Amino acid sequence: MLTDIQVRTLKPKDKRFEIRDGTPGLILRVSTNGNKKWLFKAMINRKSVFDVLGDYPYMTLAEARQASIQRMAELKTKNEEKVVTVKQAYEEWFKEKQEDLRHPNKVEQMFSKHILPAIGDYNVKDVDDAVLKKELDYLEKAGTIDTLGRVISKINELFRFCYSQRYLTEIKTMYARSRFKRKPRVKHRNAVKPDKLSFIFQAFKEGAPSMVVYLKWSAYTALRPKENAELKWEYVNWEDNTIKIPGDEMKEDMAHTLPISRQMKEILEHQKQYCEQMCQPIEILETDSEDEKAAKKDENEKRNLMRQYIWFSDKSTTGHISSQTLAHWFQKLKLNHIQTAHGLRRVARTYFSREHVSFEVAEAYLAHKKGDPEQETYDAEDYFEERKQIMQQWCDYVDEQCNQS
């Protein structure tokens, strides 16, 4: 804080200089000729304000302080009294940005349909996440969370404009979308009716005959593509004719025991023989060069990895075929618009409904979780015997469809 003695005894220098008092905004400027002026300098709402308050000694230090305090109060009051609604800000923003917008009609429609009816009358300073959660709640109830995301994105863009126009003292970023619960969206995979499977088999026999067996297997098991691709021989129990898949290999983190039908056993026996034939280790000879030994060692490591999987592949670093293999062929054969690899589960589920298989058995066949945590806790039944029966019936039906093609 300056004192009267300091102000009175300040001497001019070769260049003009300024000294700040402790009072907000108050500055004393001393010119080279010795003249002294009281100045007011401040940043209000990111805008620089400059005023000359008076000359010293005609305006004393005490008077200058009082004038500075009064000027600061006037500016703050003026700034607080300025009210800009969301609607007013939008109209100004849209007028300025309209030509730069890619789809101005869609933006205008979004504001008129969702934003302005909800928060148009709010002061831009008063809008926060809590306000948006309250006013845009209807979008959550309708399950249109994607629309909500686009709405909030536009609101954030509008608030950046408000900041540039000094309607806001800081940039507001709305995170309200994270407070809304997304309703799970059910994505239906393309799938034919069960009695149209013959058409799919015919297309594979003509365009991808080597994939027919894997297509049949995928239909038999009704497992997800990834679960089928990663099946290991260690899961197969030949004695009780089951495939026991651990929970960490299943989508729902729930162990799944799959009955082995007659057709599945034939495929497994063939695959086992084929696997032993193709995954035989290569003998490393003493007469081999170092490079040959290294190459054979690498190949044996690859074969050891392959022999773990029912559907092994020498073209993959994982040792098994890709989970997208079947999907690739559906696309290549131009069938994906009517049938997908994952959609084979839907075909099976439709067949079960037609055959009046109980809901619980059908859902257990597809390895779906039970309805809610409480039901899952108290209902430990896996309906294995029922699934075993329907498994054979379903596999017989798939074979009929394949033979018709």
Side-chain angles (χ1 to χ4, degrees):
M1 299 287 286
L2 292 172
T3 65
D4 287 322
I5 295 175
Q6 285 177 320
V7 174
R8 187 169 60 251
T9 58
L10 276 173
K11 301 297 183 184
K13 298 180 180 179
D14 293 338
K15 292 184 179 181
R16 186 179 69 183
F17 67 93
E18 297 176 349
I19 298 178
R20 285 189 173 274
D21 182 48
T23 305
L26 183 60
I27 294 174
L28 178 65
R29 175 185 288 175
V30 182
S31 301
T32 55
N33 60 6
N35 289 339
K36 300 171 183 177
K37 287 184 180 292
W38 295 111
L39 308 177
F40 176 83
K41 287 184 179 181
M43 289 291 294
I44 304 296
N45 198 14
R46 299 184 300 109
K47 183 178 181 180
S48 179
V49 179
F50 172 79
D51 284 328
V52 177
L53 298 178
D55 296 326
Y56 179 84
Y58 303 105
M59 177 178 276
T60 64
L61 174 59
E63 291 171 340
R65 284 174 176 166
Q66 185 62 35
S68 179
I69 292 171
Q70 184 177 347
R71 185 71 179 116
M72 181 69 78
E74 289 174 356
L75 290 170
K76 286 186 175 180
T77 301
K78 182 179 178 182
N79 183 61
E80 289 173 357
E81 289 175 351
K82 188 173 184 179
V83 175
V84 178
T85 65
V86 172
K87 183 177 180 181
Q88 292 169 336
Y90 159 71
E91 290 172 350
E92 187 178 342
W93 169 80
F94 189 75
K95 184 177 180 181
E96 182 176 315
K97 300 289 184 179
Q98 186 173 4
E99 294 182 0
D100 299 329
L101 295 172
R102 188 174 180 181
H103 301 292
N105 293 338
K106 290 184 177 180
V107 172
E108 190 173 21
Q109 184 180 7
M110 180 186 293
F111 271 89
S112 61
K113 183 177 180 180
H114 297 296
I115 300 174
L116 298 182
I119 60 171
D121 294 333
Y122 276 82
N123 185 337
V124 293
K125 298 176 183 177
D126 297 334
V127 179
D128 55 19
D129 280 333
V131 169
L132 293 187
K133 181 71 173 73
K134 173 186 173 184
E135 300 295 345
L136 300 178
D137 183 62
Y138 71 95
L139 288 175
E140 178 189 21
K141 291 179 179 177
T144 54
I145 304 300
D146 290 333
T147 300
L148 175 64
R150 290 190 289 271
V151 165
I152 292 176
S153 177
K154 281 301 172 191
I155 291 174
N156 284 334
E157 189 174 339
L158 177 64
F159 283 167
R160 287 193 291 272
F161 171 78
C162 290
Y163 176 74
S164 69
Q165 297 300 107
R166 300 187 175 90
Y167 301 149
L168 293 172
T169 57
E170 59 183 4
I171 296 179
K172 282 188 176 185
T173 303
M174 299 294 108
Y175 298 100
R177 185 177 183 180
S178 63
R179 298 189 180 186
F180 290 87
K181 295 180 180 179
R182 175 182 289 274
K183 287 189 177 181
R185 179 181 296 176
V186 178
K187 185 177 181 181
H188 296 293
R189 311 284 181 168
N190 293 336
V192 298
K193 301 299 182 184
D195 55 5
K196 300 298 181 183
L197 270 178
S198 58
F199 173 78
I200 303 299
F201 279 114
Q202 182 62 38
F204 267 78
K205 286 178 180 180
E206 294 175 358
S210 62
M211 292 301 300
V212 172
V213 172
Y214 188 59
L215 174 63
K216 289 169 69 175
W217 175 270
S218 299
Y220 292 154
T221 64
L223 290 173
R224 299 169 183 88
K226 184 176 184 294
E227 294 161 358
N228 261 325
E230 298 179 5
L231 284 175
K232 293 182 177 181
W233 286 112
E234 65 184 74
Y235 303 159
V236 179
N237 188 319
W238 296 99
E239 293 181 3
D240 60 8
N241 281 332
T242 59
I243 299 176
K244 297 180 179 179
I245 310 173
D248 56 3
E249 297 295 332
M250 298 294 293
K251 179 184 176 182
E252 304 289 1
D253 294 325
M254 181 175 60
H256 184 57
T257 301
L258 200 66
I260 297 177
S261 68
R262 173 176 47 80
Q263 294 91 333
M264 290 168 62
K265 190 167 186 178
E266 290 176 1
I267 291 175
L268 286 172
E269 289 172 346
H270 177 270
Q271 279 296 113
K272 188 66 175 175
Q273 184 179 357
Y274 185 48
C275 180
E276 290 175 354
Q277 176 185 340
M278 297 298 296
C279 300
Q280 282 283 347
I282 303 172
E283 184 181 0
I284 300 176
L285 304 175
E286 293 183 2
T287 55
D288 290 337
S289 66
E290 292 302 317
D291 288 344
E292 288 174 331
K293 289 179 179 178
K296 287 183 177 181
K297 183 179 178 182
D298 289 343
E299 179 63 22
N300 283 338
E301 289 179 356
K302 182 178 179 180
R303 293 189 179 191
N304 284 334
L305 180 62
M306 288 164 52
R307 70 188 307 132
Q308 298 179 39
Y309 296 97
I310 297 174
W311 301 101
F312 62 90
S313 172
D314 60 356
K315 298 178 181 179
S316 170
T317 56
T318 62
H320 58 77
I321 65 172
S322 167
S323 61
Q324 298 301 311
T325 297
L326 209 52
H328 164 77
W329 282 105
F330 273 113
Q331 186 171 3
K332 190 169 184 178
L333 297 174
K334 302 187 185 306
L335 296 170
N336 56 314
H337 66 291
I338 60 170
Q339 181 67 58
T340 62
H342 197 284
L344 290 170
R345 288 164 55 81
R346 189 178 176 190
V347 179
R349 188 65 177 83
T350 303
Y351 174 81
F352 299 154
S353 294
R354 287 185 178 181
E355 296 299 311
H356 306 291
V357 176
S358 74
F359 176 83
E360 291 79 9
V361 173
E363 290 297 284
Y365 193 111
L366 296 177
H368 281 162
K369 275 190 173 180
K370 293 181 172 69
D372 55 60
E374 185 176 355
Q375 181 182 355
E376 190 174 344
T377 300
Y378 289 99
D379 184 1
E381 180 60 63
D382 66 353
Y383 304 98
F384 180 80
E385 291 302 323
E386 293 88 341
R387 289 191 291 118
K388 184 177 179 181
Q389 181 179 348
I390 193 62
M391 166 75 79
Q392 189 57 61
Q393 182 180 331
W394 164 239
C395 290
D396 290 341
Y397 182 83
V398 171
D399 277 4
E400 289 177 12
Q401 289 293 310
C402 182
N403 295 334
Q404 287 177 19
S405 60

